[in-house]
Amino acid sequence: MLKNFNIAYVDILKHVTEEDDLASKPFPETVITLTSENITSVIKQSNIILVEFYAPWCEHCQTLAPEYEQAAKVLKENNPPVILAKVDGTVEEELLKTYKVTAYPTMIFFRQGQEFPYDGPREWEGIVKYMKERADPKWKPPAEAVITLTNKNFTNVVDKTDLILVEFYAPWCGACSALAPEYEQAARIMKENVPPVPFAKVDCSKEGELLVNNNVSAFPTLYIFRWGRQYPYEGGRNKSSIIEYMKEESRPPSKEVKTIKAVDSYKSKRDVNVIGFFRNEKDNLFKEYLLVAGEKRRKFNFLHTFSETIATYYKVTAPTIVLFQPEVYHSKYEESNFEFKEIERNANSIETFLTKYSVPLVGQRTSKNLWLYQDNYPLVLVYYDVDFGFENIIRTQLVRKEVAKVAKDYKGQITFAICHEQEFADELRNLGLDDSGEDVNVGFFKTPKQRYSMEPLESFSAEELKKFIETVLSGKLPTYIKSEPAPKLNIGPVYTVVGSTFDQFVTTNDKAVVLQFCDSLSSSCHWIQPIYKKLAKKFTDYKSIMFGKFDAEANDFPEIYNTSDYPSIFYISAKEKDKPVKYFGEITLNNLIKFVRNNTDIEDKSNQQSKDEL
């Protein structure tokens, strides 16, 4: 039972307003403002209180504000009353550290002083319902649905489970904190799924061996395991996306077909079809086939059959596997289907077979099959109004066949694909071709970051395409660099680096460089700015080192920088520009100073002065 329910909302408000000299404000104040001076005493006196940590510049916080205000008006009349409060994180920076807040808005509720993460709705009716439930004297925190894995139990759990999702996280990681409530809620729902799917987590700050053994290089990292075999999780990071993804993973990966008509009915018109022909379910190849289908179910359309009639129709002898390219991609320059004839007939050899034959000579690259082309560089992409519908298929195929005439000459050396121009508008913009005005545009990608643009032409032809490719291969065409405009006024202690000035500031600079890669839309990046600026100021007296910030989403940069998460901070030595050192750890001023000092080329005397400044 909760104690002290007779403490009224007005008593807490009176305490806050007296302490903060806010008594002159109109009464009643619905959302209480908390500071480092009053937060401890207010939480202590409150049976239940919900606290929002926000930033005035945060759009999500601005959207939440009126909902939060309305919820506060309703909940203060509840029995027992529920107090809603807020903390301005841009003012109360120390409280962010105390409560491990790394993203805005973050909401935490306290019940009799015990802290709980708020994982409920963000609209007022949902907030009211959620907090009323937790204000009930009979409410008890539910047992955690996510299993905690350690070095002692990891192998035993993972190797004996047909399907499990595992999150590798760090307590200090802002993205991990944001994911935690979504992950927990998804875990609760998937426990009731048929079949149930367990969720687990690994604290990498404690389980370093598991971090290394599972190739974890960023937080959070999620992997799917099937009987100990690891697969990448490629779904979203919110509750509904995780649930949808894992429900699909729990379904059978391949559909059995029993008639030729059924094969035609279930074969995809646009995706690669893979059909396994087996004698019965005891075939060893069938078991290996299902392992691969389980991993690749989102990438290929898997079917299987035990029918001799169907095998005879396709002129194959079971057990075997055949990959079929979609009919719209057929050409006279290559086969349309490929049979699995490897001597080693296991999951690994099946994967190799699918990888080798899954990319057509000229297929359509879409947002759903990017994986098919991500490792197939160099890559030539032809952008236009691709439409295989009845009215436009002839025009679409005319352009594709022109591309095929060139692609056949570079088979095995360069990958070719067509793309819908609207679907890849951002990619065209990154090539500087968004305003070309022509029906067909072309980009040549030696790597994801090293790209070349073909001069737009009124009439697209195989001859012009081949001429462009040969110009790129000869090294006579400069790469296209995506870049924001360089700032006219660029002064320290933190310099702004853009795509066009990256070499000047970083690569060819004779100084050591500390560079922060960020995303201007990320709240975590906004949160780190004052800390990073203080870091730079600590070293302003040293001429051999400089600090920069770089918007990685708006500018191109060398691929040696692993920036899968933002913010990412690198130290680039003046002597080894090709070996940037990435910072891993909690982002605090002292930690960053130690990171710079441990890697810097600054002399001992300077190091000692930096130590003294601490």
Side-chain angles (χ1 to χ4, degrees), residues 54 144 148 285 291 316 344 365 455 477 551 586 609:
Y54 74 99
E144 197 171 43
T148 297
L285 186 61
L291 277 175
V316 296
E344 291 188 20
R365 175 174 168 266
E455 187 70 27
L477 192 67
D551 189 335
E586 184 177 4
Q609 184 176 344

Side-chain angles (χ1 to χ4, degrees), residues 13 20 29 36 84 92 95 171 230 265 361 456 479 494 508 551:
L13 182 63
D20 291 342
E29 185 181 33
S36 56
L84 267 61
E92 305 294 339
L95 291 183
Q230 185 191 83
S265 175
L361 183 66
T479 57
V494 178
T508 61
D551 189 335

Side-chain angles (χ1 to χ4, degrees), residues 461-590:
S461 67
E463 292 75 17
E464 292 296 336
L465 177 60
K466 185 159 189 174
K467 187 188 300 182
F468 164 66
I469 292 170
E470 287 300 318
T471 303
V472 173
L473 296 177
S474 68
K476 295 178 181 179
L477 192 67
T479 57
Y480 184 87
I481 298 175
K482 179 179 69 170
S483 178
E484 294 178 298
K488 294 180 179 179
L489 184 62
N490 201 6
I491 57 176
V494 178
Y495 294 88
T496 298
V497 183
V498 298
S500 60
T501 62
F502 195 96
D503 280 348
Q504 172 193 342
F505 274 94
V506 182
T507 309
T508 61
N509 189 350
D510 60 1
K511 297 181 180 182
V513 179
V514 179
L515 188 60
Q516 177 205 157
F517 287 80
C518 61
D519 175 1
S520 60
L521 299 179
S522 165
S523 60
S524 297
C525 290
H526 280 280
W527 177 79
I528 192 183
Q529 293 311 317
I531 298 174
Y532 190 70
K533 190 172 183 179
K534 288 178 182 178
L535 172 70
K537 286 182 177 179
K538 291 286 184 182
F539 294 90
T540 51
D541 292 337
Y542 308 115
K543 305 303 180 184
S544 59
I545 187 170
M546 63 170 288
F547 291 76
K549 62 179 180 179
F550 183 84
D551 189 335
E553 292 298 305
N555 299 275
D556 281 342
F557 55 92
E559 293 174 71
I560 59 173
Y561 296 91
N562 176 20
T563 57
S564 56
D565 54 328
Y566 301 119
S568 288
I569 297 174
F570 288 85
Y571 173 82
I572 305 102
S573 167
K575 298 175 182 177
E576 295 181 302
K577 295 290 186 178
D578 60 337
K579 296 180 180 179
V581 180
K582 187 176 181 180
Y583 173 74
F584 290 98
E586 184 177 4
I587 295 178
T588 66
L589 181 58
N590 285 352

Side-chain angles (χ1 to χ4, degrees), residues 337-542:
N337 56 72
F338 306 88
E339 185 176 355
F340 178 72
K341 296 180 179 179
E342 303 299 322
I343 296 174
E344 291 188 20
R345 300 166 75 79
N346 55 36
N348 289 335
S349 59
I350 295 173
E351 284 188 20
T352 302
F353 163 73
L354 296 182
T355 300
K356 183 176 180 180
Y357 296 109
S358 57
V359 182
L361 183 66
V362 182
Q364 183 182 1
R365 175 174 168 266
T366 69
S367 57
K368 293 183 179 180
N369 71 1
L370 290 175
W371 58 270
L372 195 60
Y373 295 92
Q374 65 184 7
D375 296 321
N376 285 296
Y377 293 93
L379 177 62
V380 172
L381 300 176
V382 181
Y383 304 88
Y384 61 106
D385 187 13
V386 179
D387 182 359
F388 285 99
F390 178 76
E391 294 182 356
N392 298 307
I393 189 170
I394 294 177
R395 179 186 174 281
T396 294
Q397 290 287 30
L398 282 174
V399 176
R400 196 185 73 85
K401 288 176 180 178
E402 286 295 299
V403 178
K405 291 178 186 177
V406 180
K408 67 178 174 54
D409 296 334
Y410 298 94
K411 196 171 182 180
Q413 304 172 48
I414 300 174
T415 305
F416 289 76
I418 57 176
C419 304
H420 195 290
E421 58 188 4
Q422 290 184 357
E423 186 176 11
F424 291 94
D426 287 344
E427 208 164 74
L428 278 170
R429 192 176 301 111
N430 293 341
L431 285 162
L433 294 172
D434 51 321
D435 294 324
S436 78
E438 300 301 338
D439 292 336
V440 181
N441 290 285
V442 182
F444 187 119
F445 295 77
K446 280 190 176 179
T447 69
K449 298 287 185 182
Q450 190 177 1
R451 60 176 79 89
Y452 303 82
S453 302
M454 177 175 166
E455 187 70 27
L457 299 170
E458 287 187 17
S459 179
F460 175 79
S461 67
E463 292 75 17
E464 292 296 336
L465 177 60
K466 185 159 189 174
K467 187 188 300 182
F468 164 66
I469 292 170
E470 287 300 318
T471 303
V472 173
L473 296 177
S474 68
K476 295 178 181 179
L477 192 67
T479 57
Y480 184 87
I481 298 175
K482 179 179 69 170
S483 178
E484 294 178 298
K488 294 180 179 179
L489 184 62
N490 201 6
I491 57 176
V494 178
Y495 294 88
T496 298
V497 183
V498 298
S500 60
T501 62
F502 195 96
D503 280 348
Q504 172 193 342
F505 274 94
V506 182
T507 309
T508 61
N509 189 350
D510 60 1
K511 297 181 180 182
V513 179
V514 179
L515 188 60
Q516 177 205 157
F517 287 80
C518 61
D519 175 1
S520 60
L521 299 179
S522 165
S523 60
S524 297
C525 290
H526 280 280
W527 177 79
I528 192 183
Q529 293 311 317
I531 298 174
Y532 190 70
K533 190 172 183 179
K534 288 178 182 178
L535 172 70
K537 286 182 177 179
K538 291 286 184 182
F539 294 90
T540 51
D541 292 337
Y542 308 115

Side-chain angles (χ1 to χ4, degrees), residues 35 83 88 101 119 218 295 325 342 349 370 421 447 594:
T35 68
I83 300 165
D88 185 342
V101 175
D119 56 3
E295 178 188 359
Q325 285 290 353
E342 303 299 322
S349 59
L370 290 175
E421 58 188 4
T447 69
K594 291 174 184 176

Side-chain angles (χ1 to χ4, degrees), residues 1 46 87 152 177 299 401 439 444 492 571 577:
M1 294 287 289
S46 305
V87 175
K152 292 181 179 180
S177 298
K299 299 178 177 179
K401 288 176 180 178
D439 292 336
F444 187 119
Y571 173 82
K577 295 290 186 178

